[in-house]
Amino acid sequence: MSLISRGFGRREQRRDERLPPGQYDAGDLFPVLSAGPTPRTSLSEWDLTLQGEVDGLRRWTWEEFRDLPREAVSVDIHCVTKWSKFDTRWEGVAVDTLLAGVRTEASYVVAFCDGGYTTNLPLADVTDGRAWVVDTYDGQPLAPEHGGPVRLLVPHLYFWKSAKWLRGFALSRFDEPGFWETFGYHERGDPWLEQRYSGD
Amino acid sequence: MARAAVQRRLTWLRATVLENRPETARVHRLLLDVPGWPGHLPGQHVDLRLTAEDGYTAQRSYSVASAPEDPRLHLLVERAEGGEVSPYLTDELRPGDQLELRGPIGGYFVWSSAVDRGGGRPEGRRPVQLVAGGVGVAPFLAMLDHHRRTGGATAVRLLYSARTLQDVLARDVLGSWTTITLTRGAPADWRGLTGRIDRRVLEAQTFAPTTRPRVFACGPTSFVETVATTLVDLGHDPSSIRLERFGGSGDRS
Ligand SMILES: Cc1cc2nc3c(=O)[nH]c(=O)nc-3n(C[C@H](O)[C@H](O)[C@H](O)COP(=O)(O)OP(=O)(O)OC[C@H]3O[C@@H](n4cnc5c(N)ncnc54)[C@H](O)[C@@H]3O)c2cc1C
């Protein structure tokens, strides 16, 4: 039984059914969250790799990445710090496209990034058209503070799983907690089940 | 260190408001009694949950502004005009009211004197540089008060940007570690700094990169972004800089 807060009322009259429990609509705002400074990697040094439990390392330079088949997506995103944002528009490469032809026994991936950030995901959460490596937001190159040059986009999970400054995936048969996950955030982070913190 | 402390399941606790007092024109201090509070590390935050008569709920995060040694939990809440939760907390909440909260949350943006005790080697000890914008000083008050109470040997400095002298929070805790800069006007006899925190101020008023400080910056998103970028420009190791962003100005896409 939750406690009624005397005199507290909702601000919006109607609750948007696109909002998962405990979230609010950030409207035009696009809050920035990251635990450290924005890393700087020049595009000439940048690459994206698939490693770990794969039949040979895969690597794309920036030019090679830009030549891959691209998709445009418009999705709602949900941050564990309570804001949600509707109909955000991104472009990039489906994770399925990166994994095409890769033979693996893995069931999990760790996304790793410039600046040392990592996050873990079941492979099933980034395949079958559920995740992208994106390099534009709202028609513009992805700004560094929002994860540029590229970030992972996994809109059906809380946004910390959509790792900024992505540099690749390590595939594994085992699930290993990433950065926020070791600090007590939920292993999977489904906003509709309100899986914010470990044990939720 | 923090890992064991946060791997528990976080349950909703009932806090009782002991006091709700204006600390400045815009910021109130909430003093809470939280039975069952598991303890926290300086820098961690709580999630508050408000529930309306019709079952609607809203949650927001607030940093714990008190040291772990303080039996009561202090929060510093700035009234965001037009906001859904903060004006309720500052203007509606009265002593005796109950609130739901859970925590402590966040094991990264933390510092306690235990960090530097490891091995007891003085050369392993690193100075701590804190940089706050406005109510972003809240988690640092927990760190400073903890540092004072435990009498730690670590060198700690706080660079704190406030609008005016009247907006400076918790002067009793700030102490001689703190350098204040006032951004929107200072009294005629003000001897401290004025103006926003920029490269020049950071260079002159914070531990040099060569001393390998652990750096923490907290405040509005745009403030934190600017401070972090400038510190990296000055030569600080990016992996030694930890950030907490409260949101606010600069978030527009
Ligand atoms: C880890 C963390 C720690 C934090 N610690 C602190 C702390 O110690 N102290 C503190 O004061 N804050 C802290 N914050 C910020 C806090 O969580 C809230 O974001 C803040 O109090 C604003 O919440 P709100 O509900 O009042 O405003 P919201 O309703 O979230 O609105 C935010 C702003 O947007 C405007 N706005 C948005 N939508 C509307 C609308 N429909 N109508 C009108 N206006 C609108 C409001 O004017 C308001 O200024 C922290 C945040 C994080 C992430």
Side-chain angles (χ1 to χ4, degrees), chain A residues 11 24 29 81, chain B residues 45 60-63 76-78 80-87 135 138 244-246:
Chain A
R11 180 170 54 200
Y24 68 93
L29 301 177
T81 65
Chain B
H45 67 270
R60 295 290 186 277
S61 302
Y62 295 94
S63 303
L76 288 171
V77 180
E78 179 172 37
E81 297 302 337
E84 188 169 52
V85 170
S86 62
V135 75
E244 188 93 284
R245 296 175 168 93
F246 280 6

